[in-house]
Amino acid sequence: MDVIARAAIAFTGGKDSILALHLVSHKFRSATPLPAIEPLDPVVLVSFQPPDSDFKAHQHAWVQRQADSLGIPLITKHITSDPSFEESYRLAIRQLATDHGITKLVTGDIEDVGEGFMDRAVQTTGVDLVRPLWKLPRPRVLDLLRSLDIVYIVTLTRLDKLPQPISERLIGHVVNEEYLREQFKWYDDNHEAMDLVGTVDLAGEFGEMHSMVRDCPLFQWQVVQRNGSVAVEHTKFGSYMYLVPGELADVPK
């Protein structure tokens, strides 16, 4: 019998990292026909983030609830510029290999938005980078999400890419390709046209929008956000609209 490699999943709780998890998980793949990707044993979820910081799009308490539903341990690795961000990643990846015996690091990356950063980050670690969504056409990504019943909501948008009227119709909502196209058309028909359908990445790969998954086949129970509110933040990097989670509930399937 072939030995199945142990893997860490770079995990945000968003649709791409959870889709990547399903595409590589040997237990899930044994029951579901999926693209020809090497089956792996996901033994740990890892959140790479700066110290003393919590991502507004992927808040830690929410991500932890998802990990509990998946039944896979979640580890946070703090990344700093000392001695460099790349070396900080390498140290974290080496530690994962030592502590958990992993030989693969799985990410939900679709495009090289980091200019080869993750390729460099795994160098000399003895851990291979696995990217099951790499360069997939966006309709294919969205079709996989639909066919695998991965249900997700939008948690953050960039207001320069998705102006406030359209962001208000996305934040906190369950979305899919049909809903996104409908809402983009509504905006272009009723506002100064930006050709959102033609210019916005439907998977949000260039930061247009971020997500959190509410339900998927590997969840033992749904993780549902209720009674949240919407906020806007203006920073030196841009302006964002985001969901402030209210109650997080574990809901039976």
Side-chain angles (χ1 to χ4, degrees):
M1 182 176 178
D2 293 337
V3 176
I4 298 175
R6 293 167 66 87
I9 309 295
F11 193 73
T12 66
K15 67 185 188 321
D16 296 334
S17 63
I18 284 188
L19 176 57
L21 168 63
H22 284 75
L23 292 180
V24 302
S25 171
H26 72 102
K27 292 180 180 178
F28 183 69
R29 291 177 59 83
S30 66
T32 307
L34 287 171
I37 297 168
E38 178 187 3
L40 303 172
D41 182 11
V43 296
V44 65
L45 310 173
V46 56
S47 173
F48 298 106
Q49 64 182 66
D52 305 318
S53 178
D54 200 1
F55 296 125
K56 287 183 168 59
H58 311 286
Q59 295 193 19
H60 181 77
W62 197 341
V63 176
Q64 183 62 64
R65 297 284 281 268
Q66 293 174 316
D68 293 343
S69 184
L70 288 166
I72 304 174
L74 172 67
I75 293 176
T76 298
K77 291 293 185 182
H78 290 133
I79 303 301
T80 72
S81 58
D82 181 19
S84 70
F85 288 113
E86 285 182 17
E87 188 57 31
S88 186
Y89 263 90
R90 289 189 193 105
L91 291 170
I93 293 167
R94 290 190 191 106
Q95 195 64 52
L96 287 168
T98 299
D99 293 346
H100 300 279
I102 68 158
T103 58
K104 310 286 184 181
L105 174 64
V106 179
T107 80
D109 295 332
I110 303 173
E111 298 289 344
D112 187 13
V113 295
E115 300 179 342
F117 180 88
M118 289 306 299
D119 296 277
R120 297 190 299 274
V122 297
Q123 289 175 357
T124 73
T125 65
V127 174
D128 296 325
L129 186 62
V130 178
R131 295 177 286 203
L133 309 184
W134 193 243
K135 298 296 183 180
L136 285 183
R138 300 310 180 269
R140 177 57 174 150
V141 173
L142 296 171
D143 181 64
L144 283 167
L145 290 164
R146 178 196 55 77
S147 64
L148 296 180
D149 292 323
I150 296 174
V151 180
Y152 64 98
I153 68 172
V154 173
T155 54
L156 183 145
T157 57
R158 275 182 55 178
L159 292 176
D160 62 325
K161 300 288 188 180
L162 294 167
Q164 188 155 335
I166 184 68
S167 286
E168 289 173 346
R169 298 168 76 103
L170 299 179
I171 296 290
H173 288 272
V174 172
V175 300
N176 54 28
E177 181 177 9
E178 181 180 18
Y179 183 82
L180 289 172
R181 291 188 182 277
E182 286 177 354
Q183 297 308 311
F184 292 172
K185 183 178 186 302
W186 166 84
Y187 182 87
D188 281 335
D189 287 348
N190 293 279
H191 302 80
E192 182 179 354
M194 294 179 64
D195 186 23
L196 295 182
V197 172
T199 60
V200 172
D201 189 302
L202 290 173
E205 183 66 1
F206 298 97
E208 298 95 332
M209 52 190 160
H210 294 264
S211 66
M212 287 291 282
V213 167
R214 188 174 78 177
D215 193 19
C216 63
L218 288 173
F219 275 4
Q220 300 171 75
W221 52 82
Q222 298 180 71
V223 181
V224 177
Q225 185 281 146
R226 295 171 175 159
N227 304 317
S229 59
V230 175
V232 172
E233 182 174 10
H234 305 285
T235 75
K236 64 181 180 180
F237 303 109
S239 296
Y240 305 89
M241 180 175 287
Y242 62 95
L243 178 68
V244 181
E247 173 194 4
L248 293 174
D250 298 335
V251 176
K253 295 195 174 193

